[in-house]
Amino acid sequence: MKEKTVNELAIGEIGIVNKIIGEETIKRRLLDLGLIEGTNIKPVLISPSGDPRAFEFRGSLIAIRKEDAENIKIKVL
Amino acid sequence: MNKIEKLSIKQKETKRKSAYTIALAGNPNVGKSTIFNNLTGMNQHTGNWTGKTVANATGYFEYRGEEYEIVDIPGTYSIMSHSEEEEIARNYICFGNPDSTIVVVDATSLERNLNLVLQIIEITDNLIVCVNLLDEAKKKKIKIDLEALSNILKVPVVGVIARKKKTLNNLLKVIRSVCNGKEKIYQTYQVQYDENIEKAIYEIEKIIMEKYNIKGKLARWISIKVLDGEEGILKEIEKNLNIQLMDNIHIKESRKKALEKLEKEDITKEAFKEEIVSTIVKDAEKIGKTVCKFENKDYANRDRKIDKILTSKKYGIPIMILFLLLIFWITIVGANYPSQILFRLFGNIQEKLIEFATYIHSPEWLSNMLILGVYQTLTWVISVMLPPMAIFFPLFTILEDLGYLPRIAFNMDGFFKKACCSGKQMITMCMGFGCNSCGVTGCRIVDSPRERLIAILTNNLVPCNGRFPFLITIATIFIAGTIGGIGASILSTLCVILVIILGIIMTLVISKILSKTILKGMPSSFVLELPPYRKPQFLKVLVRSIFDRTIFILGRAIAVAAPAGLVIWLFANIGVQRQSLLTIIANFLEPFAKLMGLDGYILTAFIFGIPANEIVLPIILMCYMQGTSLVNMEDTFAIGEILRQNGWTILTAINVMLFTVFHFPCATTLLTIKKETGSWKWTAIGFLIPTVCGIVLCMLTTLVYHVF
């Protein structure tokens, strides 16, 4: 298992959150949504303008921009 | 007197005397406001939290002879960070002293919602968990064991379907028994952190209990925040409870010791923060797994299929434009008839008024001034503004209720990011198509203050309902009129689409320029929930859009239209040497207007049309026909004749259309900008940006036209 960011997941591919890095505000925001270690995350939609993508996790669908998603480190199944 | 006392006294003074106060909390999109509306009916008032741009709704209801006050606090995912909404929610739950806090949770995503419940349960015992959207959960084959949830949390849990009023009875019963103390809540669920962290919390808690006589949960919660050391929250606690935390020598010392001990156990400050958040999330997950049963694992499939189409690369944006066009079309076509009825109705009253004025021998100048000036302009604005708004806003609110608006933001975010802004700005622009004033208020959904300000300042660059009919009339006369038949209506529709797209492009360009100059900054983070699609509640939509938006805007417009009517009448009737003041101003503006490919009267009409864009054309016609009151003409052909006789060419038409889209906001919008930004400076900038755009564009087209 090697470490990747969630941006490297293809649409429909599931990853497991390993760590959230980055600046405090965005980190907090992602954590508040339940993105903690061990959470399954799956990109399912991509905006017509190419970015952001929408991710499914903990039963919700959340749109996150590439720059912010960069902070979500994952383990790939 | 400390803050809490002040707060509660203030509430009692300004509001009615209610036996109990209840706070209504929850994640966004969980039907909090439906519950609020169904409990309080029309018995509510909305405003802002003191000094904030976040809306505050307070309502009242009676149950079994006792009155309850219910406060709708902002919908948030968490109450740990320092966004404006979270701060308000946190402060109200902690320091507002509600008799009970209801946390509304979404049955279809209970696990994530429990996160907030567990955060609030750390602060207060008087908690009621209200599981909403049980019908949606049933559709998705999610079963929730409410009793088990209540047993775990040790607080009352009520299941409701908020849109069905009857189901709220159980909630009322529970509210009553919690408020009057019949149902004692004690020893609720408590999140247990890592053993070392618990020890550290205990050390601080001891001092806080001893020093400040703060008991129970609040002491524990404050201790966690002290260890966490987040300044913003600590300052709020100090302010609201009138205590000292970080400056208190005892607390300072034991904090230092506790942190050192934690450090030895490999728990750094950062690890501490993470441990707190993730323990709560994990607990929520565990509880969620125990009480929820998913009988159909692919419950979100239908939504995903719809999403794949509505956000697809090929169809996403065209579908969005189609939706908008459909709404405009219904609005414009549908508003025509009621507008005419209103015109006729007010016209009849006007005749009666004139008769009455003659009967009482009122001086002619006075009755003309009041009837042809004030009354006519006032009723004019109502006739042309009320019907389109009463149609547009319900339609727009349906899109909102369906859950489509966040998808618009999702589709457009890429473009807005390039302009250093947020995709949510697109939603505020869509509202601006209905009414710029509403669009400006709608900018509250944009999180970052910088991006919100940009959204407010640029909102007027998209044309509102008041400008569309004018645009269509001009396009029909001068651009499509040359062809005739079906081709004509297609061509005029195309013109309007072109204008809309131009408005959107200009918004992006100006936003980018602002981001690079006076409002420098990088795009902030963009995290947006795309909620499940839901069936709109038509009745609620109607009530909400009529009361919250239409009447509100109309009120502001009327307040401006009445004095403006007087001014217009005076300027059209008072004159020097047989020239009305209006003509004198027009002549003065003529040279400048010529540079813009317009004429003096047109520019004058735009200036006097500041109360409402709808009266620009009537003023132009009034000037051309040398009249002394506004002119109402339904026949597009006749309007065309008059305009042509007064020297309008295709260039005039194009420039008038450009200037209609790009000129200063109407008075109502300006007032709203002032209210939202709280500053005349930004209001002035909001005035200048579109005006300068319009002047430059018109001069450019005129230059190009004359060169070729």
Side-chain angles (χ1 to χ4, degrees), chain B residues 160-191:
Chain B
V160 299
I161 299 165
R163 63 176 76 196
K164 292 186 184 146
K165 248 183 170 170
K166 260 194 204 153
T167 62
L168 293 178
N169 271 339
N170 279 335
L171 179 65
L172 284 170
K173 260 183 227 158
V174 175
I175 291 175
R176 181 169 183 262
S177 55
V178 169
C179 282
N180 67 18
K182 284 232 173 76
E183 179 152 0
K184 282 261 182 299
I185 305 173
Y186 52 91
Q187 292 198 327
T188 62
Y189 184 88
Q190 191 169 26
V191 179

Side-chain angles (χ1 to χ4, degrees), chain B residues 14-194:
Chain B
T14 52
K15 285 155 201 167
R16 309 205 311 235
K17 235 193 207 155
S18 297
Y20 303 110
T21 310
I22 303 158
L24 196 62
N27 281 187
N29 306 311
V30 292
K32 223 157 57 74
S33 49
T34 313
I35 292 182
F36 182 78
N37 288 331
N38 277 344
L39 284 180
T40 61
M42 287 289 120
N43 198 2
Q44 49 172 281
H45 60 81
T46 48
N48 281 5
W49 293 89
T50 325
K52 301 274 157 73
T53 53
V54 181
N56 161 1
T58 307
Y60 307 89
F61 64 88
E62 225 184 66
Y63 182 67
R64 298 210 182 166
E66 275 170 318
E67 196 178 68
Y68 294 80
E69 178 184 332
I70 181 161
V71 180
D72 192 11
I73 60 177
T76 57
Y77 294 110
S78 154
I79 49 168
M80 290 209 232
S81 46
H82 28 232
S83 77
E84 228 180 13
E85 280 88 359
E86 292 190 25
E87 192 185 303
I88 291 167
R90 186 173 59 229
N91 282 354
Y92 194 82
I93 297 169
C94 287
F95 315 118
N97 283 342
D99 293 291
S100 168
T101 300
I102 302 173
V103 189
V104 184
V105 296
D106 177 354
T108 62
S109 61
L110 192 69
E111 189 189 306
R112 197 198 65 209
N113 281 256
L114 278 174
N115 191 27
L116 181 70
V117 174
L118 294 184
Q119 287 184 27
I120 295 178
I121 222 171
E122 282 202 307
I123 303 173
T124 172
D125 272 332
N126 296 326
L127 195 73
I128 300 170
V129 175
C130 176
V131 183
N132 188 22
L133 299 167
L134 285 176
D135 50 342
E136 298 283 333
K138 203 172 162 194
K139 261 192 234 157
K140 293 179 172 171
K141 299 218 162 95
I142 302 171
K143 271 199 181 149
I144 296 170
D145 189 342
L146 298 177
E147 214 183 300
L149 184 59
S150 178
N151 286 337
I152 296 172
L153 296 177
K154 302 230 173 52
V155 298
V157 174
V158 194
V160 299
I161 299 165
R163 63 176 76 196
K164 292 186 184 146
K165 248 183 170 170
K166 260 194 204 153
T167 62
L168 293 178
N169 271 339
N170 279 335
L171 179 65
L172 284 170
K173 260 183 227 158
V174 175
I175 291 175
R176 181 169 183 262
S177 55
V178 169
C179 282
N180 67 18
K182 284 232 173 76
E183 179 152 0
K184 282 261 182 299
I185 305 173
Y186 52 91
Q187 292 198 327
T188 62
Y189 184 88
Q190 191 169 26
V191 179
Q192 288 295 319
Y193 300 102
D194 171 275

Side-chain angles (χ1 to χ4, degrees), chain B residues 644-659:
Chain B
R644 285 211 181 84
Q645 278 163 18
N646 283 281
W648 281 45
T649 61
I650 183 86
L651 174 74
T652 327
I654 290 174
N655 283 355
V656 166
M657 285 177 76
L658 282 175
F659 201 62

Side-chain angles (χ1 to χ4, degrees), chain A residues 51 56 58 60-61 63 65, chain B residues 111-112 304 413 417 528:
Chain A
D51 184 42
E56 219 174 56
R58 295 192 185 269
S60 327
L61 184 63
R65 278 183 185 161
Chain B
E111 189 189 306
R112 197 198 65 209
R304 282 311 87 77
D413 184 61
K417 190 176 77 181
L528 174 75

